[in-house]
Amino acid sequence: MGSDEVFKVLSKGIMVSLNSSKYLEVAKFLNIDDNFEEFGALMDKLGFTLHGENGYFFMAKKEKMSEGELASFLNSHKMVLIAIAILKQLFPLLEKGYILKQTDFITNYNQKNDPSLQQKMDYLFETKDLKNRTEQFFDLLKKNYCIEEQDSDSKDAFIVLNAIEYYSKIVESVV
């Protein structure tokens, strides 16, 4: 694994986590302090900042965000931020490494019977069918590198990736 392979992944906007099987090699490379510093210095020359914390890594533009850019960022990520807020409501102890199951999600959702959860799900998804909503919900989290299928044979169990902390911090700061 070298800097060029790492750049190919991170330049696509992918957030890699140490507990991801798909991007484990990239995360392991960046988890080595010397590699992180060297790659970070290279990204700095290219106008990017390398971020790494709690086992997740991503690249961002170097400039500090203006208020308008921050609003644009929040708007473009609002779906996943709402999804994380829903997860935290249903699974208050959720953290990286947790095995999240769609069946548990449906059970907890039905047990809560919370109108605010219903409103958030209505905002995210047009369908009213909870099974379809749940599948779309999990697809959204996968697409944003928050979860990953634990086993390719089982479509029910997902590991919560380290990157969940990034979005959780944003949700906590907004609430």
Side-chain angles (χ1 to χ4, degrees):
M1 177 68 48
S3 295
D4 54 336
E5 292 98 351
V6 171
F7 182 77
K8 284 178 187 175
V9 171
L10 295 182
S11 66
K12 294 176 184 173
I14 295 171
M15 187 179 302
V16 298
S17 297
L18 277 171
N19 62 344
S20 165
S21 60
K22 189 171 184 180
Y23 297 109
L24 178 60
E25 291 304 313
V26 173
K28 283 168 96 174
F29 176 86
L30 292 170
N31 199 46
I32 299 170
D33 289 339
D34 289 343
N35 292 348
F36 183 86
E37 289 172 17
E38 284 179 34
F39 188 76
L42 178 61
M43 292 303 98
D44 189 55
K45 290 178 185 175
L46 295 174
F48 295 98
T49 303
L50 177 64
H51 298 274
E53 182 179 352
N54 296 324
Y56 64 87
F57 305 91
F58 66 97
M59 215 168 51
K61 289 181 189 175
K62 194 174 180 180
E63 304 91 34
K64 191 159 177 93
M65 278 191 196
S66 68
E67 195 170 303
E69 289 171 321
L70 179 59
S72 175
F73 170 84
L74 290 173
N75 191 44
S76 67
H77 288 84
K78 69 182 168 190
M79 301 280 282
V80 72
L81 292 171
I82 292 169
I84 298 300
I86 290 169
L87 270 183
K88 288 297 196 172
Q89 211 170 338
L90 293 175
F91 302 91
L93 302 177
L94 182 85
E95 61 181 25
K96 62 186 176 186
Y98 187 92
I99 303 303
L100 185 62
K101 294 184 176 185
Q102 288 185 9
T103 50
D104 293 341
F105 179 89
I106 291 171
T107 300
N108 287 8
Y109 182 84
N110 285 331
Q111 285 177 348
K112 280 274 189 195
N113 196 20
D114 184 338
S116 72
L117 279 172
Q118 179 71 37
Q119 287 175 328
K120 290 173 189 163
M121 291 293 273
D122 286 346
Y123 180 82
L124 291 177
F125 311 111
E126 291 181 15
T127 181
K128 296 293 184 192
D129 179 64
L130 185 55
K131 185 178 184 302
N132 286 339
R133 280 183 168 192
T134 302
E135 289 171 359
Q136 291 176 13
F137 184 88
F138 277 69
D139 286 344
L140 175 66
L141 293 174
K142 282 192 304 188
K143 186 177 102 181
N144 286 280
Y145 314 104
C146 296
I147 63 172
E148 187 175 273
E149 289 178 3
Q150 186 185 18
D151 181 3
S152 59
D153 295 335
S154 170
K155 298 291 185 198
D156 187 44
F158 298 82
I159 186 165
V160 175
L161 299 176
N162 295 19
I164 195 91
E165 291 186 15
Y166 173 75
Y167 289 109
S168 292
K169 286 180 185 178
I170 294 171
V171 168
E172 290 166 8
S173 70
V174 173
V175 175

